Amino acid sequence: PRRVTWRRGLDLNDRALRHVVTGLGNGTVRETGFDITVASEVMAIFCLATSLENLQQRLAKIVIGESDPEHGRRMQITAADLKAVGAMTALLKDALRPNLVQTLEGTPAFVHGGPFANIAHGCNSVLATQTALGLADIVVTEAGFGADLGAEKFLDIKCRAVGLEPAACVVVATVRALKMHGGVAKDDLAAEDTAAVRRGASNLRRHVENMRGFGLPLVVALNGFRDDTPAEIETVRAICNDLDVPLEPCTHWADGGAGAEGLAGQVVALCGSHTAPFQPLYELDLPLAEKLRTIARKLYRAADISLTPGAAKTLANLERDGYGRLPVCIAKTQYSFTTDPDAKGAPEGFILPVREIRLAAGAGFVVALCGDILTMPGLPRYPAALDMRVDAAGALHGLD
Amino acid sequence: PRRVTWRRGLDLNDRALRHVVTGLGNGTVRETGFDITVASEVMAIFCLATSLENLQQRLAKIVIGESDPEHGRRMQITAADLKAVGAMTALLKDALRPNLVQTLEGTPAFVHGGPFANIAHGCNSVLATQTALGLADIVVTEAGFGADLGAEKFLDIKCRAVGLEPAACVVVATVRALKMHGGVAKDDLAAEDTAAVRRGASNLRRHVENMRGFGLPLVVALNGFRDDTPAEIETVRAICNDLDVPLEPCTHWADGGAGAEGLAGQVVALCGSHTAPFQPLYELDLPLAEKLRTIARKLYRAADISLTPGAAKTLANLERDGYGRLPVCIAKTQYSFTTDPDAKGAPEGFILPVREIRLAAGAGFVVALCGDILTMPGLPRYPAALDMRVDAAGALHGLD
Amino acid sequence: PRRVTWRRGLDLNDRALRHVVTGLGNGTVRETGFDITVASEVMAIFCLATSLENLQQRLAKIVIGESDPEHGRRMQITAADLKAVGAMTALLKDALRPNLVQTLEGTPAFVHGGPFANIAHGCNSVLATQTALGLADIVVTEAGFGADLGAEKFLDIKCRAVGLEPAACVVVATVRALKMHGGVAKDDLAAEDTAAVRRGASNLRRHVENMRGFGLPLVVALNGFRDDTPAEIETVRAICNDLDVPLEPCTHWADGGAGAEGLAGQVVALCGSHTAPFQPLYELDLPLAEKLRTIARKLYRAADISLTPGAAKTLANLERDGYGRLPVCIAKTQYSFTTDPDAKGAPEGFILPVREIRLAAGAGFVVALCGDILTMPGLPRYPAALDMRVDAAGALHGLD
Amino acid sequence: PRRVTWRRGLDLNDRALRHVVTGLGNGTVRETGFDITVASEVMAIFCLATSLENLQQRLAKIVIGESDPEHGRRMQITAADLKAVGAMTALLKDALRPNLVQTLEGTPAFVHGGPFANIAHGCNSVLATQTALGLADIVVTEAGFGADLGAEKFLDIKCRAVGLEPAACVVVATVRALKMHGGVAKDDLAAEDTAAVRRGASNLRRHVENMRGFGLPLVVALNGFRDDTPAEIETVRAICNDLDVPLEPCTHWADGGAGAEGLAGQVVALCGSHTAPFQPLYELDLPLAEKLRTIARKLYRAADISLTPGAAKTLANLERDGYGRLPVCIAKTQYSFTTDPDAKGAPEGFILPVREIRLAAGAGFVVALCGDILTMPGLPRYPAALDMRVDAAGALHGLD
């Protein structure tokens, strides 16, 4: 292979490994980088595989690089070309079986697979979901980060890929987050501020509109915090009334399952009420750039996308090489509808800058990296490790 | 830190990571490399630690780099300076407890810790050995690679560091290896060749002499292979007679414990016969270069060592910085007494080229890399992974 | 210095040197790159210096990097801090004297200094211009690339910096270029196509409007080519009539000075007619981003600029550090008003993507790299060197 | 090409460029480095070329790298394969003509070409020498550094390559250098110390013996310094008497040509006396390693050479590829017969460490880099540039 685009994965946050040169002194110097494991295409494949056989088929399609051009054209090199599929499957075959765990109250749950919700589709494995659907009347899937990231990918990628039809949607909100979207600084969130809650409602409103666009009945779950005041909760209730969406304040953080019983009742009711068919946000027949533009405009409310010259070229090559019908997976910050983590509330009319396109042929989607998003996080300024210690008795301190 | 000498560890053979440049694009570019985990100083520390407290003290001493010079002198930066000791200990504290396993016949054994026998001292943990000594009358320690590497380090580093007094020594030989040292090519080893066995005896003779130099009573165990002929075994017996050392042919590969009963009896007998005190090969008071020269001359029979200018400078700095009394740990090929894997038999009068010196302050030794020895191996020309596959029934093939 | 932002200069087109890692093996690894000499800030300084003393003052201000942060803030390191100014001046002091040459017909000319018209301001030295103004009634300055690059920088940077007041402006056009802007492929330019000339007039019209915006009287010089047809020339004449600007077809490529006599007369006439005062495109008091936006909108007719996060941060730092009043120098392709070399004619409403900001503190401007523009060109796909040879008689072939 | 071994040349001492990674971000990352121009093979070729045609033939042979292996073997890529010879010749063709200059007293001299005396053969161009031989009765060639480097290469490489037969040899000595070789520190050289001169004579004696070994009549020229005392000069005279070699004290540094008249007379006399035929130190038929060993033993008085594994492998490949009959060119420090610049006098019995072998196929020799020798020098700790300045009147200071 002439160009190797496959990056190494490592389960450590080591920012110095984001961009490295390898192979010094041994004749094959390459420019590459490390991603954390959950950002690897292998994790996404693992979570979208419908069987051991399907896992192998997906692994085989991973594109790891390109050959030198022959007859004027570079050829893609896949994991199958490297004969790596058998060994990769051998490593993953036991992990592929969903592991059933339980909550503190004994409710069964699957915790199985953890793809990033930016570079990948952000929700647990298809096998876990399908197994659960065979065992229970109602299965809840957590689709992480904001609904513009997690829910969109759960619906447009995972559900579409395997024919799942979700019956209802829970949008989770908090008073604190609404106040932040209303402009309150992080250190001031404890003080009551109903005006800020009202200002931040623009963000919640958009998520509700977005989810309705998929044809899903929905409820807003208000995740309670100790500092929430009755006036603030009533403000949220008024907002939801305006939006004609039910609100269920939840206190499971304090009361366990009992604190979410109201929400559970609402969800059961909504599941029965489901009439309109679920529909993805975009058709797979659109050109790749149009799919990105559709998400940017309809969900994020951007005026348009901008493509770096490299991103535009990669998109064109992917269309030419037959990947044009894949869904797209947008990697951007979860803190804003834009690529600027500080742009709170519900910004409109901005440009979504697409800086790089990566193919995840095995996972079955095309990733668009937008803004500054990173696939190998760094440590916080004050690493938690600095406070860890083991005392003379062998007890461990500093993990809380 | 201005210079960071600490390398990353990874439990994969990835030769492209031996020498890398990291931190591109984020302002702190560094030249470094990866070693495999067993080559990390942390593994050596783990195996030499005598308690959880001692583990912490050793980790604290790890030198990871140097500061910019102040008042004309660079200062060493340790793991303690980085406040990393608590977190490292937290990760290792459960692993530090020796795990008792058993052989197929039920004999208890500890498999605990695996430092490389070149860059490190090559034998299992002190805690496992000490625990075993508290539980059994006789404890056998495997000290890997040739006796010039594994045994020398077991005796000069591990035994000296914690006051162990070995009672006897088993030198393991094979007819095949003696034939190789007698000049037979690998593909021709199956054919009977007593002349080659006799020629290769020079290698066995030196190992026997070397072990006697430590004051240890010894026995040669002849590890049987299917192709060994009676004439070849008799040739080895004659050689051992000449050396006045008992020989015990062993067939445990075929007969289990029964096949090594003779050897066991010899070892028990030797343990009782131990009269002369065990003595290390060199005194710790010698300058570091003299310790290297002593091993090179007495054990390897080199004429002398040569030091690259960088190695000479590092040795001088280490003496200046107070590390002069540490034992030394020579990293060289296990295939020859020299640094040339093809120099079979018992070469003499060669120069041992020392190319680089590394400090393992926490482990408590100074490593001398000699010849081409590597701390991150590569894959074989035909990786075993190419033949692995999982069949439709989920069964794994290609691991044998 | 912690971060070194100064790049090396080299007078060779070697694309592999655009982005390099240096200092391997000697303890100070850095990520940097090479620019060609004409892209170096030293060339821009050389061309803007008004005296030997002013040259030294400008060289002293060059920012080559930043210190480690002290008291929470990085400090800039200048060439003066490195005590490099004396030696740099010593190398440049003889070159600083303008060298008078002559055309084939004996007209005096200065060829003195050659800064790139993208990364720098693109016209010859101030000292040459001022010397010429002391010696002749009329001095013509060539301001390279399109008028959106060369002329804008000549006027907004060079003229403003030293108080020059240009009396008239010659816009150079060719029938071939107008046809290209009208959509004709490069290989088809020889065929007569008056419709294409008319379509391409949009490009000429904008340049004329742009130059008028500076308050300059102007004439269009039509640089003749062998393939131009009378009908095409008449088409250009009609376009210029519409624009109310005189047209002067020139044939100096064939007829020498005589072929440009008409143009010369027009210029002399215009110089007398100059009434409105020359005015730069933007005021220096505007924030840096506003200056960029002004050029992008008024001259290029972009809808807006977009800034990468890095570019936005650099602009903010420059404002904070007192560089906010410098003029700006846009580096973009000369083939289009946009950053896309294929966007011919007179595009409107596009976004100008600013990917990187560099400070040229000594030259006295802030560079904005837009789109894919490079500061170290590569060789053409078929390097001219392949055809060069010296024959047996020592004669050189292949340079034409 | 898969491996590119050709390094870039630059006429600046920039130590950070010794070892670099290039091509980041453009798909072809390579590990390489810069040498200063005088260390480039092109300079050596230029100085050994006998005509324009021979120059082209030599340039064509330059090996710049190796192909990917085909049929199990890598193929060398030459400058001819790249079609670079014509363009290189075009750049060099005017420079190839020797430029005649004169001394302050009007003596004609050629200063033409300057290859390093370590990595290359260290003396001026063959064309200059041959031109001079056609114009004058006696031609003196300066062969730089110590006679173990400059003279050896002048004789074994340049003279042998083009059939020159030197008639006599001048060995230049100084009282100061003899005192240094006698153990006096650099700062104490001004004080009279005849005992040190006597001790340092061991160095002079070896150079005299070495030159006699080539069959050359010789004279020692004592280059006078202000601090030399009559007693010291007499001590040198006594040493030369013992060696049976004439001594000529010279004062041309003070008296111009008149100060070297005695030496000139001696040289004229020696040229007439030349009877024994000149003979090189080694035969070209020896294996490459033997040639290196011969120089190391006969000239430097080393016990032996040592080869790093890489150097040994390169030598074997060169023999296999047909370069075994080339002469060798040893790059080592000029401050000692050994590779340790501090080993003064006439050391014996040391090992000459050969760390790297480079082929100069066009120049026609094989370079052996020994010890720490560098092909891209660094700046001194206190660069002279720091004191350079140009004053207000334009005068330059700080160059003396």
Side-chain angles (χ1 to χ4, degrees), chain B residues 7-304:
Chain B
R7 295 160 58 86
R8 283 166 177 81
L10 191 69
D11 218 1
L12 277 176
N13 290 7
D14 187 342
R15 66 173 3 139
L17 296 181
R18 278 176 197 151
H19 188 182
V20 303
V21 171
T22 63
L24 291 170
N26 84 356
T28 310
V29 186
R30 293 206 186 274
E31 193 179 0
T32 181
F34 287 72
D35 293 334
I36 56 166
T37 307
V38 296
S40 166
E41 185 183 347
V42 176
M43 179 62 91
I45 287 174
F46 179 89
C47 286
L48 288 170
T50 54
S51 66
L52 190 62
E53 194 186 342
N54 180 257
L55 175 73
Q56 299 199 51
Q57 289 163 352
R58 287 174 176 271
L59 292 173
K61 287 186 199 165
I62 293 176
V63 172
I64 62 93
E66 285 177 335
S67 69
D68 265 323
E70 276 177 61
H71 313 303
R73 178 150 162 212
R74 299 180 180 281
M75 302 302 293
Q76 289 174 329
I77 313 285
T78 64
D81 293 331
L82 298 188
K83 300 188 181 165
V85 178
M88 294 174 84
T89 309
L91 286 172
L92 294 172
K93 85 183 183 61
D94 292 331
L96 192 64
R97 300 178 190 164
N99 46 335
L100 185 65
V101 298
Q102 59 182 324
T103 66
L104 285 178
E105 294 179 347
T107 316
F110 286 113
V111 178
H112 192 233
F116 246 1
N118 46 38
I119 190 90
H121 62 287
C123 42
N124 76 335
S125 77
V126 163
L127 283 177
T129 302
Q130 286 176 333
T131 306
L133 283 169
L135 296 171
D137 293 328
I138 293 186
V139 175
V140 179
T141 295
E142 196 259 335
F145 289 174
D148 52 331
L149 287 170
E152 188 271 320
K153 292 168 184 179
F154 171 69
L155 296 167
D156 283 330
I157 297 178
K158 177 173 170 179
C159 290
R160 169 150 50 187
V162 295
L164 293 170
E165 286 261 343
C169 171
V170 179
V171 173
V172 181
T174 66
V175 166
R176 287 171 65 86
L178 291 172
K179 286 196 281 193
M180 275 192 84
H181 280 293
V184 178
K186 204 169 177 183
D187 291 341
D188 302 334
L189 289 174
E192 183 180 277
D193 190 342
T194 56
V197 172
R198 259 189 301 271
R199 287 196 304 273
S202 62
N203 188 270
L204 176 60
R205 185 176 305 121
R206 185 173 294 171
H207 282 301
V208 167
E209 290 169 8
N210 283 346
M211 289 304 105
R212 278 182 173 149
F214 285 98
L216 295 176
L218 53 85
V219 56
V220 172
L222 188 68
N223 214 347
F225 274 68
R226 196 186 309 248
D227 294 324
D228 301 349
T229 69
E232 289 173 332
I233 294 172
E234 282 316 297
T235 308
V236 180
R237 189 177 302 278
I239 293 163
C240 289
N241 278 346
D242 281 356
L243 291 170
D244 196 23
V245 62
L247 175 78
E248 279 294 334
C250 301
T251 58
H252 48 278
W253 68 274
D255 305 323
E261 256 182 48
L263 176 62
Q266 277 285 358
V267 169
V268 171
L270 285 177
C271 287
S273 77
H274 187 30
T275 52
F278 154 67
Q279 49 189 8
L281 189 66
Y282 54 84
E283 293 303 311
L284 294 179
D285 287 336
L286 287 176
L288 291 167
E290 275 314 302
K291 296 177 203 172
L292 293 172
R293 191 169 279 119
T294 302
I295 298 174
R297 286 179 170 162
K298 284 205 198 166
L299 240 64
Y300 309 160
R301 315 293 162 95
D304 203 349

Side-chain angles (χ1 to χ4, degrees), chain B residues 2 21 24-25 27-29 31, chain C residues 2-3 21 24-25 27-29 31:
Chain B
R2 155 88 176 221
V21 171
L24 291 170
T28 310
V29 186
E31 193 179 0
Chain C
R2 156 87 175 221
R3 284 165 198 260
V21 171
L24 292 169
T28 309
V29 186
E31 192 179 0

